[in-house]
Amino acid sequence: MANPPMAMLAEVTHRCPLACPYCSNPTDLVAKGQELDTATWSGIFHSAADLGVLQLHLSGGEPAARSDLIDLVVAAREAGLYTNLITSGIGLTERRLRELDEAGLDHVQLSVQGVSAEVADRIGGYNGGFKRKMHVAEHISGIGFPLTLNAVMHRDNLDDLPETIDMAVRLGARRIEIACVQFQGWALVNRARLQPSRAQVERAKDVVREAEARLKGQLVIDFVPPDYYSDFPKPCMSGWGSTGLNVAPDGTVLPCHAAATIPGLEFQNAVETPLAEIWHNSPAFNAYRGTDWMPDLCRSCDRRDIDFGGCRCQAMAILGDPKAPDPVCHKSEGRAALDRLLESESDVEADYQYRRA
């Protein structure tokens, strides 16, 4: 039997005032009328706690788009869960943040699209978004919430990485996630425009190393480099169905954001099936759990228990085969296909297709 998950990502809505072209939400968004109500989410939070979940990440879309956000935090706290709000900041006011504080919210993760209004508003597709975000950051600091800054980096903003780190310090963040774009969801649609160059990535690694030494003890820096330029795949989700689960706005339970892109898997709904039953016994969660599913190359590799065969969704996106070794791995036959893709898109100039909901 699988160990219990540590964390649950509750995507309480796909609605969002921003339209980021790298959004990890699926291209087929859940409509407002399909979203679970407050009482149903409350029941899922309690089921998650009973299963062994410790951390709840309230996400979207933009969770502040829900009028019952305060009630959702109250329900999560009543279930005994550590609560983290993942937000663009749009839709939050000082008053609402203070109400969230009183409700028991533990942590805020604020996304940033750039270090200036010109860049951030263009990437986020929302005029005035950067200015509002900076005001919200001031309120978060004033109230005393622990703050993580989440900066998704790509071709259009990776050269601004030093200024992005400086922004995190200025805003009083305890941690910054420098998350180079991962090509699933809307990011996959916009890959040709978003993919940074290898030279950009190498410079970014140098910037991170210098900042880690300079800001040690002041700012924690989590750097997620682009998969495509690596020799080995990242340990995606620390293994499929291993440490966390996602619940979509309609209650569908997934091992990760992009799992629904894999054909042949049927995902159960927490409204109809107990969460513990889904976690332990669902065919979808067991499909790539452990090592039995692995091809011989992965099963015999000395990195088997380090990267767990890599990302199944990435193998599907690039090779059309979710059972194949992650094509990032330099040992795999799929690496040649990935290199051809990088070459073909290296100089492509394309317009963003913006996510709308």
Side-chain angles (χ1 to χ4, degrees), residues 36 38 65 112 115 119 139 141 163 178 232 244 297 305 321:
L36 303 181
T38 314
V112 292
V115 295
V119 173
H139 297 321
S141 176
E163 293 82 3
I178 301 167
F232 296 105
L297 178 66
D305 298 320
D321 181 5

Side-chain angles (χ1 to χ4, degrees), residues 183-184 188 191 228 261 312-321:
F183 293 112
Q184 300 293 343
L188 186 59
R191 182 176 60 200
Y228 289 12
T261 63
R312 300 301 87 225
C313 305
Q314 189 153 265
M316 181 66 211
I318 296 173
L319 304 175
D321 181 5

Side-chain angles (χ1 to χ4, degrees), residues 12-15 28-36 66 249-250 357:
V12 294
T13 183
H14 279 162
R15 290 175 285 143
D28 185 14
L29 300 170
V30 173
K32 179 180 179 181
Q34 298 174 284
E35 294 174 7
L36 303 181
R66 290 199 52 136
D250 63 356

Side-chain angles (χ1 to χ4, degrees), residues 52-91:
V53 168
L54 302 175
Q55 302 170 1
L56 175 69
H57 304 283
L58 293 167
S59 182
E62 172 49 62
R66 290 199 52 136
S67 60
D68 63 347
L69 180 58
I70 308 298
D71 295 329
L72 291 174
V73 172
V74 169
R77 293 295 294 173
E78 288 176 346
L81 298 170
Y82 178 94
T83 55
N84 172 38
L85 179 65
I86 301 174
T87 179
S88 68
I90 310 300

